[in-house]
Amino acid sequence: MNSDNVAGKESIKDLYNEAKQRIRLILSMFGRYEPEKINPLPDDKSFAAISNLINSIMSSAQFESDNQYRNAIVEISNWMNCAFNKEFLNKHEALYPNPLYVVRKGAEILHSFLHRDLRRKQFSSEEDEIYRNYITMISSLPDPRNKKLDQEDVDGMIDNLLKSS
């Protein structure tokens, strides 16, 4: 039973290491963004790559047991995934904070949460404040998760995920 635990920890650690690399790619493709300005969307190729990377990060926490980090990683990546679509970003580009900036900020926070020692299950007071500030920031924007998808969109997303894996 201990060997399963060790193997599980190693696989989660590997998944998180891969997710950290993906986040680094996302951050480098984004470049520098500012909350009070309209930030230009990445070009179509970069946009598609970032979208696929965000999707892959969402799944990284599913193997970890229920704890503050896992729940935060799932919530942040889910919001990022829903918000990172051209329709939402273009429609709300004039809002403060800029939605693209908030997606980038979410990637920075995920990067730090994925860097932690996996034995830690509770936030430090600083991490708790960072997480609460992010939740406050996203709550000031329209919620992209409320959008219902039609079956064609769902089928298309599944097809895209299967192609990318």
Side-chain angles (χ1 to χ4, degrees), residues 19-74:
K20 286 185 288 194
Q21 298 303 322
R22 291 177 179 132
I23 290 171
R24 280 192 196 111
L25 283 172
I26 290 170
L27 292 172
S28 69
M29 283 189 257
F30 271 143
R32 206 153 169 78
Y33 281 76
E34 297 182 42
E36 66 280 346
K37 293 185 178 178
I38 293 176
N39 294 289
L41 294 179
D43 62 74
D44 287 344
K45 186 177 177 181
S46 295
F47 197 93
I50 291 168
S51 185
N52 286 333
L53 290 167
I54 290 171
N55 281 327
S56 69
I57 291 164
M58 285 178 59
S59 65
S60 64
Q62 72 183 358
F63 299 105
E64 187 173 0
S65 60
D66 195 29
N67 65 57
Q68 275 189 312
Y69 289 99
R70 180 202 177 279
N71 297 340
I73 292 166
V74 168

Side-chain angles (χ1 to χ4, degrees), residues 71-136:
N71 297 340
I73 292 166
V74 168
E75 184 168 5
I76 293 170
S77 62
N78 182 38
W79 190 91
M80 289 172 57
N81 184 52
C82 293
F84 196 71
N85 75 66
K86 289 183 181 184
E87 181 183 332
F88 180 83
L89 295 171
N90 285 326
K91 182 177 179 180
H92 303 294
E93 70 183 356
L95 294 179
Y96 177 84
N98 182 279
L100 205 51
Y101 169 82
V102 177
V103 170
R104 187 186 195 292
K105 194 71 176 162
E108 291 172 357
I109 292 168
L110 287 177
H111 191 263
S112 71
F113 286 176
L114 293 168
H115 259 293
R116 77 180 202 284
D117 181 342
L118 289 175
R119 294 172 293 190
R120 290 184 47 224
K121 304 297 181 196
Q122 298 292 329
F123 288 155
S124 68
S125 59
E126 182 182 349
E127 290 167 329
D128 187 55
E129 184 176 348
I130 290 168
Y131 178 66
R132 282 188 287 113
N133 288 342
Y134 188 75
I135 295 303
T136 300

